[in-house]
Amino acid sequence: MAGTSMEMTGAEMVLRALVDNGVEHIFGYPGGAVLPIYDELHQQDEVEHILVRHEQGAGHMAEGYARSTGKAGVVLVTSGPGATNVVTALQDALMDSIPLVCITGQVPTSLIGSDAFQECDTVGITRPCTKHNWLVRDVNQLSAVIHEAFKIATSGRPGPVVVDIPKDVQFATGLYTPPPPVGRHSGYAPKVQGDLDKIRAAIELMATAERPVIYSGGGVINSGTEASHLLRELVELSGFPITSTLMGLGAYPASGKNWLGMLGMHGTYEANMAMHDCDVMVCIGARFDDRITGRIDAFSPNSKKIHIDIDPSSINKNVRVDIPILGDVGHVLEDMVRLWRASSHTDRARLDPWWKAISGWRSRNSLAYTANADVIMPQHAIQRLYEATKDRDTYITTEVGQHQMWAAQFYGFEEPNRWMTSGGLGTMGYGFPAAIGVQAAHRDSLVIDIAGDASIQMCIQELSCAVQYELPVKIFILNNQYMGMVRQWQQLLHGNRLSHSYTESLPDFVKLAEAYGAEGLRCDKPGDLDASIARMIESDKPFVFDCRVAALANCFPMIPSGKAHNEMLLPDEATDEVVATAIDAKGRQLV
């Protein structure tokens, strides 16, 4: 990489720009169109490159890295299939507001549009799944574009960006421009301070609420740890109950006395009923996703709604609100806490009937399941994993499916940035590479990917990456031999026609782990679970835990498709109505 001279090649500019933007790790896979950049990587030691085994894995690793650190994750891939392979991760990051900077190689400018080898319209393909993207044809603009890419990825509502760099631009020589001073970026300048008049109106409405609820989302976590502290302070001052989306878990502690649990399709009964019956809803950094609302026309019909979000396109998009507040969650919460304190709202007695109603809903024990002395129930497996790891420096990622929902329900998160999962896109294969990204950022921490036997096979090849870089990620597979959530929906909503959801010919996960140079263990008895989990935790290598769980357990509560969010199917109801009469793909009675 170049020394102090400001004249350098495009490839040198890329590395210099990464260093100047505080990048310490990148995740990538080489190819012809990015070889000049890889040549510069070889000649420096300030940025650690982690070689993935598939470009989708690179994107998810960068997502896990970003989510656990609050910094932008960086991806480097080649043109054509390298770029198209990362599209899934870009869309995942866009929907879950994860800051990524993806640098892609492109064929030389003279060949663009000629259907050259490994050419594709990267800018056109990635436009719908990025906040912004660039095709850089002039080497003298390259450094400024990369600096702007980091600014856009990390500002406002975070998200992914793509910088597409033709190979001849990487070879060309030009002048490097250092990053502009903080606040001097041109163009993109999202509004961070909320309108004080609207914040005052929100406080006045909250002060008179008799059945309030705070509905928090991933935007609180994206705003930084101070936002989570302010959220906790607002809950303590107001005495309001609080629930959270899947992406917002950890912003308020699961052990907090005002915690209702997660809401939504597989949320708790008390959280969804409180959302339905409330008179004032305070939505903080969430977007009224369909997994939360159920049928829109029946969503919380009698409440006044306050919505705080930094993304103007999210306000009034799905649900009309009464007091929209555009701004950064952290800044708005700071003003709300200050105004609440100044107004001396101390009459909490008005909330007593509301908390009594919530206690009644809690008594339904909507997360109940029947334990079994012979077969490991998946809920029990998560509970034992939680007990074994809750006092450690632990990060949890997940794949997508039943195991993901059970993890959200039964693993209690006390702090933000400890929970990484694919919410909006629901990407099978996300969790394991995301865990590698987390482990790369937190080398001495315990990082566990809670997986399903189907999801884990999407990106299982990244075991090779974890072994190569000595990243001791743990994969905790809830192995039920089905695509569990697909089977559950087929059982409940498609007449029990289990079409292609039984995953026959599963690999021996223990042997597979050993083939890659990792460690593995199989457990199928509840009595062996604690000792087996301890062995996994103590290992200093990547580890695959094949936890054989009840094959036909369903994830409840559940809002059935097309139903309102107060029309939940609970475990006791489901047993009588559905489970007892279901037949599996091989004609066996489901028990």
Side-chain angles (χ1 to χ4, degrees), residues 67 92-98 222 247 287 421-425:
R67 189 74 173 174
D92 191 273
L94 184 73
M95 295 190 74
D96 285 347
S97 306
I98 310 299
N222 286 340
M247 299 303 295
R287 57 187 177 88
T421 194
S422 174
L425 195 60

Side-chain angles (χ1 to χ4, degrees), residues 168-200:
D168 58 320
V169 174
Q170 298 171 42
F171 278 124
T173 300
L175 291 178
Y176 176 83
T177 305
V182 176
R184 295 281 183 88
H185 284 268
S186 61
Y188 183 63
K191 187 176 185 293
V192 295
Q193 291 290 346
D195 185 298
L196 267 179
D197 288 337
K198 290 184 177 179
I199 296 173
R200 288 191 186 97

